[in-house]
Amino acid sequence: MAVILTLLDLAGTVALLLWGVRMVQTGLQRAFGPQLRGFLARALGDRPRAFLAGLGVTTLLQSSTATGLMVTGFAAGGSVALVPALAVMLGANIGTTLIVQLLSFDVARLAPLLVLLGFLLFRRSTASRRRDLGRVAIGLGLMLMALHQMLGLLAPIGSQPGLRGALAALQGEPLVTLLIGAALSWAAHSSVAVVLLVMSLATHGVVALPVALALVLGANLGTALNPVLEGAGAADPAARRVPMGNLLIRAAGCLAALPALPWLAQGLAALQPDPARALADAHTGFNLLLGLVFLPLLPAYARLLRRLLPARLEQEDPSRPRHLDRAALENPAIAIGLAAREALRLADVLQEMLQGMRDAFARDDRGVIPETRRMDDVLDRLNAAIKDYLTALDGAALDAADRRRAERILLFATHLEQAGDVVDRNLMAEAAKRLKRGLAPPPAQRAALLALVDRLQSNLGQAASLLLTEDLRAARLLAGEKARFRDIERRAVQAHFAGLHQPAGSAPADPGALPLDLIRDLKRVNAHLVEAAAYPVLREGGELLPTRLASPLDGEE
């Protein structure tokens, strides 16, 4: 019974360690994720810079998976070449070992101080970044507490003859031991936690140093396995080149190191008598050696990956999401950035619809109408995919800034999909009806209509830009377009009623006046663009009035 209770205590301690690792990773991603993503994108010009950028970003984020998701998105989107993307991963693999180096020293006394500091930052600060850094400090404190408690729990467990016998049997099975370490790292989604656990086992003599080294190698392999498995459903094999390339590099390193484990263990024991420090050095040294060996070979290695995973040449389904990587859902800052990239595709599709409508009216081209109307189905599917992706985020992992950003993307996607409905069901239906009846608009009316469509296309470009920049001045300019469309509608109504009072057969009062139903629908499209991008920015900036009424109604404040 005592052994069962001790094992339960150990399981709880491991869970506390995993939770501390997660708090550190999510806190750093929230605090610095967008800036680090931008820094990483700028550093992907050549191999050395990309290698150092991967090392630096992962040292801060403490998640090679998060760095891998960023660079995989860049590579899959074609914005970065495969060679620097692989170089980033080599650096990231080293960066994630540095926290293990730190925690291999006896710093357990800092745990209460870190938790206290984190609590004060989290509770007393109103700035979101300070609260995120408070989360990081609490996570580090929990990790140190878990490691300290684990050391005390492993002493009685390690003295059990049955357990010692089972672990001793692993000494003659390095491949099995490596696979066990890989399975643990894959299940925990963290090589850091597994390596720290193995360090604790080795410190109390529960596992021999060669067994511990095999488990550390397995942890390196398992953490590279997760991105490959989670991206296995990608439509284009080229999107899997970076994670698969990283996995194959680590697998090659593991296979090369496995036969030499007994000699490596002897050398490490001679150089570093502390097993925990020896394992931390081995963990860092393994990834550093892989980086030094493979960095010069990356151009040839990239060519091999391109042959093994060729890009899909058949025409892509435009309604299939390109950027919504399900593996990124564990990292809200990255996932929301990917959703924003997908939302910009909605703007591109709507731009194509507006161009199709323009061509239908400008050239009396009936052939563009079916294809333009089919693009509305693309909008519907992309909008549904974005909503499904964002609602799959863990609400507890989102801070206020994440929620605000996710809501803005949802609002943007919803309004652009509704604008597409207006183009499809009203404007294109009207164009089809007029062409079928041979009712070509007069030249002046055609010119006025095309000018309005051009204005809508320009406004759509501004709306897409606002989703990224959230610039207050640009939001005011876009919101001003709503008043201009109201003025256009008012003048069209006046011209319509003036025409009703003219004698039959006389020239129209305004030969360029558009039909009121076309004006109304174009105005509705513009309103959706303003609601999608300008109003959220103005509302947050305190520059949007709650009502257009000169005075509030009775009962309103």
Side-chain angles (χ1 to χ4, degrees):
M1 186 65 181
V3 174
I4 294 176
L5 292 176
T6 304
L7 288 175
L8 288 174
D9 288 341
L10 180 61
T13 303
V14 172
L16 182 63
L17 175 64
L18 291 173
W19 186 251
V21 171
R22 178 175 175 79
M23 288 190 71
V24 172
Q25 292 175 351
T26 56
L28 287 168
Q29 287 163 16
R30 292 178 184 180
F32 303 109
Q35 293 87 346
L36 291 177
R37 182 181 175 86
F39 166 75
L40 189 61
R42 292 190 296 272
L44 289 172
D46 54 68
R47 270 179 287 167
R49 287 176 59 200
F51 177 83
L52 294 174
L55 194 157
V57 168
T58 309
T59 298
L60 284 176
L61 290 182
Q62 276 310 306
S63 173
S64 59
T65 301
T67 306
L69 288 169
M70 292 182 192
V71 75
T72 299
F74 293 144
S79 57
V80 62
L82 181 58
V83 170
L86 291 169
V88 167
M89 294 310 303
L90 290 176
N93 295 338
I94 300 171
T96 195
T97 70
L98 298 184
I99 194 171
V100 175
Q101 287 284 348
L102 173 65
L103 297 178
S104 65
F105 295 98
D106 185 13
V107 289
R109 290 183 178 274
L110 295 177
L113 181 61
L114 286 170
V115 173
L116 176 61
L117 176 63
F119 173 79
L120 293 176
L121 284 173
F122 192 82
R123 292 297 301 271
R124 301 289 183 180
S125 177
T126 56
S128 60
R129 176 166 293 182
R130 290 182 184 175
R131 289 171 62 88
D132 293 332
L133 292 177
R135 185 187 300 272
V136 172
I138 293 173
L140 285 171
L142 293 179
M143 290 172 65
L144 293 176
M145 289 180 178
L147 289 172
H148 182 70
Q149 186 173 350
M150 196 180 298
L151 290 175
L153 289 172
L154 289 173
I157 293 178
S159 63
Q160 298 295 320
L163 179 61
R164 281 188 174 275
L167 293 174
L170 292 177
Q171 192 156 354
E173 300 290 344
L175 181 58
V176 174
T177 307
L178 182 144
L179 293 177
I180 291 174
L184 290 173
S185 181
W186 166 78
H189 278 62
S190 172
S191 61
V192 173
V194 174
V195 173
L196 292 175
L197 174 61
V198 174
M199 286 164 52
S200 300
L201 292 171
T203 299
H204 277 278
V206 179
V207 294
L209 191 56
V211 175
L213 285 173
L215 289 170
V216 169
L217 288 177
N220 280 275
L221 184 63
T223 194
L225 187 61
N226 278 310
V228 174
L229 295 177
E230 290 167 348
D236 189 351
R240 302 197 295 272
R241 288 172 181 165
V242 174
M244 181 60 76
N246 184 48
L247 175 64
L248 292 177
I249 287 174
R250 287 199 171 189
C254 289
L255 291 176
L258 212 55
L261 283 183
W263 295 278
L264 289 174
Q266 291 177 5
L268 281 172
L271 293 173
Q272 179 57 261
D274 182 359
R277 291 287 310 127
L279 289 172
D281 292 342
H283 183 41
T284 302
F286 172 75
N287 287 284
L288 182 60
L289 186 60
L290 286 181
L292 294 176
V293 169
F294 276 92
L295 192 61
L297 304 177
L298 286 184
Y301 184 53
R303 289 194 293 272
L304 174 63
L305 287 173
R306 291 190 190 99
R307 285 197 293 269
L308 293 175
L309 297 168
R312 180 166 290 179
L313 298 178
E314 60 264 26
Q315 187 173 2
E316 183 185 9
D317 180 3
S319 66
R320 184 190 296 274
R322 296 176 186 170
H323 309 295
L324 303 182
D325 188 349
R326 307 298 293 189
L329 289 172
E330 293 186 0
N331 304 280
I334 298 174
I336 292 171
L338 294 176
R341 292 182 67 192
E342 199 68 52
L344 291 178
R345 288 191 62 210
L346 288 171
D348 293 338
V349 175
L350 184 57
Q351 192 75 260
E352 291 181 34
M353 294 183 70
L354 291 176
Q355 185 60 43
M357 179 184 69
R358 190 185 194 284
D359 293 341
F361 282 106
R363 306 196 304 260
D364 297 329
D365 187 355
R366 189 180 299 180
V368 302
I369 293 177
E371 180 59 30
T372 302
R373 300 192 71 172
R374 275 195 296 270
M375 296 302 290
D376 184 56
D377 295 332
V378 177
L379 278 181
D380 293 341
R381 294 191 188 104
L382 288 178
N383 178 46
I386 292 171
K387 288 181 178 178
D388 177 67
Y389 186 75
L390 288 176
T391 53
L393 287 170
D394 181 6
L398 300 177
D399 60 13
D402 291 334
R403 289 192 183 89
R404 179 189 63 81
R405 185 72 175 144
E407 289 170 0
R408 279 211 61 204
I409 295 169
L410 286 172
L411 187 69
F412 182 88
T414 299
H415 277 290
L416 259 64
E417 188 271 333
Q418 292 173 348
D421 288 342
V422 177
V423 175
D424 172 36
R425 299 171 186 173
N426 297 62
L427 291 164
M428 296 309 297
E430 180 67 19
K433 182 176 67 175
R434 287 173 176 268
L435 290 174
K436 185 177 180 180
R437 297 177 179 177
L439 301 176
Q445 195 179 91
R446 191 194 303 265
L449 175 60
L450 297 183
L452 273 185
V453 177
D454 290 341
R455 195 176 199 105
L456 274 183
Q457 290 182 301
S458 175
N459 292 349
L460 177 56
Q462 292 182 48
S465 176
L466 266 175
L467 180 67
L468 300 179
T469 64
E470 301 186 12
D471 182 75
L472 197 59
R473 183 172 176 272
R476 291 177 64 90
L477 291 174
L478 180 57
E481 289 294 305
K482 212 168 181 180
R484 292 185 181 91
F485 271 80
R486 283 198 301 269
D487 290 341
I488 292 170
E489 183 184 39
R490 177 178 51 78
R491 289 197 299 270
V493 170
Q494 291 172 348
H496 177 75
F497 280 104
L500 294 178
H501 295 88
Q502 284 185 328
S506 61
D510 184 359
L514 294 173
L516 294 182
D517 51 352
L518 285 178
I519 293 281
R520 176 203 63 199
D521 292 330
L522 292 169
K523 178 188 168 190
R524 286 175 62 194
V525 174
N526 184 73
H528 282 302
L529 300 182
V530 175
E531 292 277 357
Y535 279 1
V537 177
L538 294 173
R539 192 175 293 113
E540 290 167 13
E543 297 199 20
L544 194 65
L545 296 175
T547 177
R548 290 178 57 205
L549 296 175
S551 59
L553 298 174
D554 293 340
E556 291 185 344
E557 295 182 359

